[in-house]
Amino acid sequence: MFGITSTAMAQTATTSNAMLPSLSQLGFEEMLDIAMKNNIDVNLAYINQQQSEIDLLQSKLNLTPSLTGNAGQFYQSGRSIDRFTNQFVQKTIGSNNFQLQGSWVLFAGSQNRNAYKQSQELAEASGWDVKAQQYSLTLLLAQAYVQHLQALEQKKAAEQLVAASELQVKKAEILFKEGGTNKGAYLSVKAQLANNLSTLTNANNTANQTLLALKQVMRVKLTQPLLINDAGFGLQENDIAKLDKVEAQAIFDSLLIKRPEYQAAFNRLDAARYAVKVAKGSLYPTLSLGANLSTVYSDNAKSLTGYTISGTQAIGYLPSTMEAVYAPTFEYQMKTIAFNKQLKDNFGQSLGLNLSIPIYQGLRNHNQISYANLALDRAELNLVRIAQNAENDIFQVVANYKNAKERMQATLENHQMQKENLEYVLLRHEQGAASMLELQIAQNNEANAHWSYISARHEWVFRAFVLDFYRKMASGDAVDAQSLQNLKK
């Protein structure tokens, strides 16, 4: 996670339309705030965290009963059976159905409960992912910031070289015209000026490139002006003294369990354990409680309101005399039963338990358990890999800091010696005891030594920032003994 390379900063990125705050100069903290708001990976991590929190809420609600309501309006035409008279009818019938269903899983092998615990672990892991992205961006921005500061200082050193060469060219030109030196010496000084101008051009290009890289990390418009504060990271002498005493193993022992990517991997390992329990729960029977409330309305449901005798009709004959027997015929007056009355009369309810026992499903559940166990093994290996990488990172960070400090001290001594030698050769040259070639060699050696010192000093500044970053993380909030023991296991 903390592997930072120059190619990562050089990648083309989508810039944000957000404008920089109206500040004359931005310090590292201000630039970091802007980068945090604009960085896509950090924002995606926030989105993933919000999604995992929604998943956690849903898994918690899965433990509660479910309730479903249904309502429908239906029209049926053609030949059908009237549900109220159980007779065939040939007309269009309109009806309404209303239903309220509820169910509650009482036991399912603790799948829902384990799924909830799994979601808890994944939600915590997503929170650590956000911190991991923030930490990674912090180090990435720090590297870009230091590289730009180094480029600015090297540009300033190149400008000083050009200014010194221009003075030497003026002096050499006067001496050449007055016959105090030959043309070869005069041309040599002009050639040195041309070489320094080329160095200044390269330094200016490098400063522009590092500024673009810094803007890319901050995700601001590349055409937008950016003025930065060259104060650095504000490391105090007591902080540097603490860094000199840092031991890799000591900081690793306290830092590992506080690294966000390790915490996230540990949460995902626990989530994988719960996933195995969820998969094993599918082998158990499922017992659920169900309830139902329903009613119906139909415009074909009629009630009798009255009748009249419309006549008579023969219904048979007397066997002795064969005299016809008549019965009256009636005409009935009907009306559709009221909506509220139908809902009340047709109201039905049910309550029951349902037991579902998995017997054979093509070994699907057993294969899911196998998949879950493989995912658990993968999570364990991932945790071990992160721990190994973290150990390598810590030892490398400490070694890089010590090497950078030694290199800085060596280049500083070299620069001081080359500077003294240049002053001595310059004095001899003014007295006529040293040639122009000796002076140019001394100037080039001093410039190269100064250049190397600038590079070494800024590398040490960055390595000190990284080590101090880890040191502060390791000395942060304490971890209780039980949590420490669990994490070590």
Side-chain angles (χ1 to χ4, degrees):
M1 179 192 79
F2 291 101
I4 301 176
T5 62
S6 59
T7 56
M9 294 188 300
Q11 293 176 350
T12 301
T14 303
T15 58
S16 171
N17 291 326
M19 298 297 290
L20 292 175
S22 57
L23 298 176
S24 58
Q25 288 184 331
L26 294 178
F28 179 73
E29 294 297 332
E30 290 84 3
M31 290 189 294
L32 183 59
D33 289 339
I34 296 172
M36 288 293 182
K37 294 176 182 178
N38 295 341
N39 186 266
I40 296 177
D41 292 331
V42 172
N43 288 315
L44 287 176
Y46 276 124
I47 292 176
N48 292 336
Q49 181 185 20
Q50 294 172 358
Q51 182 177 349
S52 64
E53 291 174 352
I54 294 175
D55 293 337
L56 174 60
L57 176 61
Q58 184 58 60
S59 62
K60 184 177 182 179
L61 294 177
N62 289 340
L63 298 172
T64 61
S66 62
L67 185 65
T68 304
N70 298 311
Q73 173 72 49
F74 303 95
Y75 294 95
Q76 185 173 354
S77 61
R79 183 177 176 84
S80 61
I81 297 179
D82 184 358
R83 59 166 295 181
F84 295 95
T85 63
N86 290 324
Q87 295 178 349
F88 285 103
V89 294
Q90 186 85 21
K91 65 177 183 178
T92 300
I93 300 175
S95 62
N96 298 92
N97 291 332
F98 303 94
Q99 192 174 40
L100 192 63
Q101 293 178 313
S103 64
W104 190 10
V105 177
L106 302 178
F107 178 78
S110 298
Q111 293 184 75
N112 290 339
R113 187 172 299 277
N114 288 322
Y116 170 65
K117 294 180 179 179
Q118 179 186 7
S119 298
Q120 282 183 313
E121 297 294 337
L122 293 176
E124 291 184 16
S126 64
W128 288 112
D129 288 340
V130 173
K131 290 188 176 182
Q133 290 294 339
Q134 291 174 336
Y135 290 169
S136 178
L137 178 60
T138 300
L139 296 180
L140 187 62
L141 181 66
Q143 186 183 39
Y145 176 51
V146 170
Q147 287 181 343
H148 184 55
L149 292 182
Q150 175 182 330
L152 290 178
E153 189 169 348
Q154 289 176 338
K155 177 184 175 181
K156 184 178 180 180
E159 291 173 347
Q160 294 173 350
L161 284 176
V162 169
S165 296
E166 288 175 345
L167 290 177
Q168 290 180 355
V169 168
K170 291 180 180 179
K171 292 181 181 180
E173 184 178 3
I174 295 173
L175 291 174
F176 175 66
K177 289 180 179 180
E178 294 180 354
T181 185
N182 56 39
K183 187 176 181 179
Y186 173 59
L187 292 177
S188 177
V189 174
K190 292 187 67 175
Q192 183 64 38
L193 174 59
N195 182 68
N196 291 340
L197 287 172
S198 176
T199 301
L200 176 58
T201 300
N202 293 334
N204 187 60
N205 292 337
T206 302
N208 292 333
Q209 291 175 356
T210 55
L211 181 60
L212 288 177
L214 184 60
K215 289 181 179 180
Q216 287 178 349
V217 176
M218 295 173 62
R219 291 294 195 269
V220 297
K221 285 186 176 181
L222 301 183
T223 57
Q224 188 172 354
L226 175 61
L227 298 177
I228 67 170
N229 189 335
D230 59 357
F233 304 110
L235 288 175
Q236 305 299 323
E237 292 185 2
N238 57 344
D239 294 326
I240 298 175
K242 293 178 182 178
L243 296 180
D244 293 336
K245 299 178 181 179
V246 167
E247 294 296 334
Q249 187 61 51
I251 194 174
F252 170 74
D253 291 338
S254 57
L255 176 64
L256 176 62
I257 58 176
K258 297 179 183 178
R259 286 180 65 131
E261 72 275 24
Y262 186 80
Q263 289 277 11
F266 187 78
N267 287 128
R268 289 189 170 91
L269 176 59
D270 277 345
R273 293 192 179 106
Y274 285 118
V276 173
K277 294 181 180 180
V278 171
K280 289 182 178 180
S282 63
L283 299 177
Y284 290 87
T286 300
L287 179 63
S288 59
L289 175 67
N292 179 277
L293 302 176
S294 63
T295 186
V296 67
Y297 166 82
S298 174
D299 57 14
N300 197 46
K302 307 291 184 179
S303 62
L304 180 64
T305 59
Y307 64 91
T308 59
I309 299 176
S310 59
T312 58
Q313 64 177 1
I315 60 173
Y317 298 91
L318 294 175
S320 59
T321 62
M322 297 303 292
E323 183 179 357
V325 177
Y326 294 89
T329 59
F330 300 92
E331 289 185 358
Y332 297 96
Q333 287 79 45
M334 309 290 291
K335 72 173 183 178
T336 302
I337 301 175
F339 182 82
N340 292 336
K341 181 173 176 55
Q342 286 197 49
L343 294 184
K344 181 179 179 181
D345 293 342
N346 297 327
F347 179 73
Q349 50 194 325
S350 65
L351 178 67
L353 293 172
N354 182 69
L355 180 65
S356 175
I357 302 175
I359 298 177
Y360 178 74
Q361 296 176 326
L363 299 180
R364 185 181 301 108
N365 293 337
H366 290 81
N367 289 332
Q368 291 297 327
I369 296 175
S370 299
Y371 285 138
N373 282 319
L374 292 176
L376 176 60
D377 294 339
R378 189 179 296 109
E380 290 176 346
L381 292 175
N382 184 55
L383 185 67
V384 174
R385 179 180 61 185
I386 290 177
Q388 292 175 347
N389 292 340
E391 185 175 16
N392 294 336
D393 288 343
I394 296 304
F395 278 83
Q396 189 64 50
V397 164
V398 175
N400 288 342
Y401 170 78
K402 294 181 178 179
N403 294 338
K405 186 173 183 179
E406 292 177 358
R407 178 171 176 260
M408 180 191 64
Q409 292 173 342
T411 56
L412 175 60
E413 294 176 0
N414 181 44
H415 180 228
Q416 291 174 344
M417 293 302 299
Q418 295 297 338
K419 188 176 181 179
E420 292 179 6
N421 180 63
L422 174 60
E423 293 173 354
Y424 176 71
V425 174
L426 183 60
L427 180 61
R428 292 180 63 239
H429 177 71
E430 292 176 351
Q431 297 174 351
S435 65
M436 180 59 68
L437 178 60
E438 290 179 300
L439 178 59
Q440 289 179 346
I441 292 176
Q443 287 176 334
N444 289 334
N445 289 339
E446 191 276 337
N448 292 332
H450 188 199
W451 205 272
S452 297
Y453 168 66
I454 292 174
S455 175
R457 181 162 55 84
H458 283 87
E459 180 185 0
W460 171 80
V461 169
F462 173 68
R463 299 302 179 187
F465 173 82
V466 175
L467 182 56
D468 188 60
F469 184 82
Y470 281 116
R471 183 187 65 82
K472 290 179 179 178
M473 189 191 304
S475 60
D477 297 334
V479 180
D480 60 271
Q482 185 61 45
S483 299
L484 178 61
Q485 187 65 22
N486 293 338
L487 286 170
K488 285 185 176 181
K489 288 182 180 180

